[in-house]
Amino acid sequence: LDGYGREERCTGARGLPLIPWPNRIQDGTYTFDGIDYQVPLTEPRHHNAIHGFLRWRNWTCRQHSADAVVMGTVLHPQMGYPFTLDVSVTYSLGEDGLRVDTTATNVGDVECPYGTGQHPYLSAGSGLVDACRLELDAETWIPTDARGIPSEYAETADSGYDFRGGRQIGEQEIDNTFTGLSRDAEGLAWVHLDVPHRPRVSLWVDESYPFLELYTAHTQPPPHRRTGLGVEPMTCAPNAFRSGDGLIRLSPGESTTASWGLSSS
């Protein structure tokens, strides 16, 4: 992973949980059950709200063992999101690599809108992603406007966004969502990154994640510009709080879990 040091401030949301929505909400406004809400514009340059509320909150270690840790927090009601979520993220290491399970429980007394994502960067080693070979079997990608807001779906076939056979990234700049993911017999979809002179890195998502965002880190400042490929599992599409595309409705007391993982070979 292209991460950050123990004493460094996290930049580029690297590795962070994106809750209660991943990606963007256009203008930070949405309507849920007939009520209009406004959340803070955390991407002011584009007048959007981005990546939820939990990137900058304190998390508590709820459980710790030799091969796993459970981090948790409670998202309390606030401006634009008057709902209460208990959230835990379990990171566990096994023979197959890293597994990450994110569970959210509605501990409030009304239904709430919910989505989750996470923002790991697969490392390009000592070089840039340009030299890496990317493989993702996805039928569809989602173009966006200059603000990062999605438009209609487009087929990856015969486009510059078709990585189904695997190909070198080169100088291509990608910050888009992919869906229509091909899955194996266990229901997992895979992204593979072949890095020169290093083991292949693979990220999988279970069926709770029908969307994957790929980001070539071309807008990141040095020293992390294009040194890693953001591969972001998402339970919903960008702007889902407005479009409803993949949005989860959690009833009081209801929980939902989504899982992804990493391996190398």
Side-chain angles (χ1 to χ4, degrees):
L1 292 171
D2 186 21
Y4 56 99
R6 181 186 296 268
E7 303 299 329
E8 287 185 86
R9 181 176 68 86
C10 176
T11 60
R14 53 192 68 250
L16 294 182
L18 315 176
I19 298 170
W21 74 87
N23 214 283
R24 293 163 176 83
I25 301 176
Q26 180 181 358
D27 301 321
T29 62
Y30 68 99
T31 301
F32 186 73
D33 284 348
I35 301 175
D36 297 331
Y37 297 102
Q38 172 75 63
V39 297
L41 299 178
T42 46
E43 192 181 45
R45 185 165 66 95
H46 295 307
H47 209 259
N48 296 322
I50 188 169
H51 290 337
F53 298 118
L54 294 184
R55 288 190 294 162
W56 303 108
R57 302 300 174 92
N58 290 329
W59 291 69
T60 300
C61 179
R62 293 180 172 176
Q63 187 176 342
H64 187 207
S65 65
D67 57 4
V69 61
V70 181
M71 302 299 294
T73 190
V74 175
L75 178 60
H76 294 283
Q78 58 195 282
M79 185 181 78
Y81 195 80
F83 313 104
T84 311
L85 288 175
D86 182 88
V87 182
S88 67
V89 184
T90 301
Y91 302 89
S92 54
L93 287 172
E95 293 183 359
D96 295 330
L98 172 71
R99 179 185 176 97
V100 183
D101 301 295
T102 301
T103 299
T105 303
N106 181 352
V107 293
D109 54 8
V110 295
E111 285 194 333
C112 69
Y114 172 76
T116 184
Q118 201 146 357
H119 209 304
Y121 289 75
L122 306 188
S123 174
S126 59
L128 303 178
V129 296
D130 306 40
C132 298
R133 180 180 180 273
L134 169 64
E135 183 179 343
L136 169 61
D137 193 343
E139 294 182 352
T140 308
W141 70 288
I142 306 178
T144 60
D145 63 17
R147 296 173 57 191
I149 302 303
S151 56
E152 295 182 356
Y153 288 16
E155 294 184 358
T156 56
D158 300 320
S159 78
Y161 294 86
D162 191 350
F163 293 93
R164 285 177 291 184
R167 62 178 174 85
Q168 187 173 335
I169 294 173
E171 297 181 355
Q172 185 173 1
E173 296 180 352
I174 309 168
D175 191 3
N176 296 93
T177 299
F178 293 75
T179 190
L181 308 176
S182 177
R183 297 184 180 273
D184 63 18
E186 297 179 349
L188 305 181
W190 292 83
V191 177
H192 303 289
L193 190 70
D194 291 303
V195 183
H197 315 299
R198 291 170 64 96
R200 162 180 275 200
V201 181
S202 300
L203 184 147
W204 59 264
V205 296
D206 73 1
E207 292 177 300
S208 300
Y209 290 114
F211 301 93
L212 276 169
E213 178 89 2
L214 297 183
Y215 170 51
T216 50
H218 50 278
T219 60
Q220 293 297 306
H224 288 294
R225 185 180 183 277
R226 295 184 73 88
T227 59
L229 177 70
V231 181
E232 308 164 34
M234 303 193 304
T235 59
C236 58
N239 211 28
F241 268 45
R242 290 174 65 110
S243 69
D245 192 358
L247 187 67
I248 297 170
R249 295 179 65 101
L250 278 181
S251 299
E254 184 180 5
S255 297
T256 183
T257 299
S259 303
W260 64 275
L262 282 170
S263 63
S264 62
S265 59

